[in-house]
Amino acid sequence: ASDGDGGSKTVAPGEYTVSEAGADLAKYDSSIACVNGQSGSGSTLAGVEVDSNADVTCTITNTRRAGKLTVVKNLEPAGDGGRFDLKVGDDVVKADAGDGDGGSKSVAPGDYTVSESGANLAKYDASIACDNGQSGPGSTLADVHVDSNDDVTCTITNVRRQGVLKVVKDLKPADDGGVFDLKIGDEVVAPGVGDGGTGEKTVAPGSYAVSEAGANGTDLARYDKSIACLRNG
């Protein structure tokens, strides 16, 4: 039987049990109410009284239970300072979320979109994985299915993209014979270079020391030195 369907039975006077059965009963909150004033919660009502000539109608009401959809933020590295608004559909369930933060929404059974928004999303590679097996790349995952009684958690992972730090040697005059080791932190990225020599390193976002050391007998004390950095991107 579906909504509005019914059935009847002619019975001798007495007490009867009214009930229902179905594979999906656990997805519903049920109650029974009869026109003779008898009622109860659940899918079974015992002791329903029927007298001679009585026409007793009992209505079984099934209210579909909701599910829950939770969105969790995972940042790599965990100490990254990025902040994001986590969303279910158009609703922000957690604003300004950092690593480990999350928010939930009670939802009717159906399909939902899980997403995030943030000013610096272009600095991250993002993916979404839900514990119901659904997953996808990017900051938006559509059609996440939630059924009655489900408690689905979707984790949005943002991996901070790396940058490139490049060191260039500029000598004046250009034909000067000085030779130098160019360094990022303690690492030599360009050993023994002269004018126009370069070295670079892929680095995680952060602060780094750029320096040089004289090579092959070059004495740094013979030079006036300066460093100027240019951001590209």
Side-chain angles (χ1 to χ4, degrees), residues 182-202:
L182 308 183
K183 303 170 68 178
I184 295 174
D186 293 328
E187 182 179 347
V188 175
V189 294
V193 297
D195 185 64
T198 66
E200 63 183 43
K201 182 180 180 181
T202 299

Side-chain angles (χ1 to χ4, degrees), residues 166-183:
K166 184 177 184 179
V167 188
V168 180
K169 168 51 56 187
D170 178 30
L171 280 170
K172 295 181 179 178
D175 59 357
D176 185 271
V179 180
F180 305 85
D181 290 340
L182 308 183
K183 303 170 68 178

Side-chain angles (χ1 to χ4, degrees), residues 90-111:
D90 293 328
D91 294 334
V92 175
V93 295
K94 179 62 178 180
D96 202 34
D99 184 63
D101 290 338
S104 301
K105 183 181 180 182
S106 179
V107 295
D111 294 328

Side-chain angles (χ1 to χ4, degrees), residues 11-18 34-39 45-52 54-58:
V11 294
E15 294 184 352
Y16 295 86
T17 296
V18 175
C34 302
V35 295
N36 65 0
Q38 292 180 265
S39 63
L45 180 61
V48 177
E49 297 176 359
V50 182
D51 204 351
S52 299
D55 187 355
V56 178
T57 298
C58 295

